[in-house]
Amino acid sequence: MSTRKRDIRIKRVYEPASSDDGARLLVDRLWPRGLKKENASLTIWLRDAAPSDALRRWFGHDPTRWREFVRRYHAELANNGDVVAQLMGLVGKGRVTLVYAAHDEEHNNAAALAAWLQNQGKAARSQREA
């Protein structure tokens, strides 16, 4: 059984695309301001992988709400089987870069999503090894 870590990266959508990005997945619900679609170099825009509008507004990029935001967002993901299956399928094919528009490089939904995807991989490996 393989125990390799999933190759998931995060990057601001405004940073230039790179040949080593792999699949570039925009994981924001809203299109990034000032960015033309042809300049985004996206594989796919997964707006349904983003937090709900209500959760996004509640969080408001406030780092003091980060832990609770992550908890609520992970709960939303756990109840969103279609998008999770799509994400896991893309992650299973190789490197993915989750792209986002937020200014905060630490407290954003792409970082929370990357952590959740890594944990899903660990859980799947644990089940196979049991």
Side-chain angles (χ1 to χ4, degrees):
M1 302 288 160
S2 172
T3 58
R4 71 177 179 87
K5 188 174 178 179
R6 295 170 187 268
D7 195 354
I8 302 168
R9 299 174 180 199
I10 64 170
K11 186 178 200 178
R12 285 196 78 219
V13 71
Y14 302 105
E15 294 177 36
S18 170
S19 60
D20 67 341
D21 284 346
R24 288 175 50 89
L25 316 177
L26 177 61
V27 293
D28 284 348
R29 190 159 299 276
L30 305 175
W31 187 260
R33 289 184 184 156
L35 183 68
K36 293 181 180 180
K37 290 187 180 185
E38 59 270 13
N39 295 338
S41 301
L42 297 176
T43 303
I44 191 169
W45 178 15
L46 292 172
R47 64 174 60 105
D48 290 335
S52 66
D53 283 332
L55 181 55
R56 182 180 55 79
R57 279 193 233 80
W58 173 83
F59 175 49
H61 302 288
D62 180 351
T64 64
R65 293 182 172 184
W66 176 245
R67 284 189 175 183
E68 181 61 16
F69 167 77
V70 170
R71 188 191 69 73
R72 291 180 187 188
Y73 180 34
H74 288 181
E76 286 184 356
L77 288 167
N79 291 311
N80 194 348
D82 291 341
V83 80
V84 167
Q86 189 174 12
L87 280 163
M88 297 305 273
L90 290 163
V91 168
K93 291 179 182 176
R95 177 177 295 153
V96 299
T97 299
L98 306 176
V99 295
Y100 63 96
H103 293 285
D104 188 330
E105 295 182 12
E106 186 178 343
H107 304 101
N108 62 70
N109 63 296
L113 178 56
W116 190 82
L117 289 168
Q118 289 292 359
N119 286 336
Q120 292 303 303
K122 289 176 190 173
R125 285 191 296 275
S126 293
Q127 287 178 349
R128 284 193 306 264
E129 293 168 358

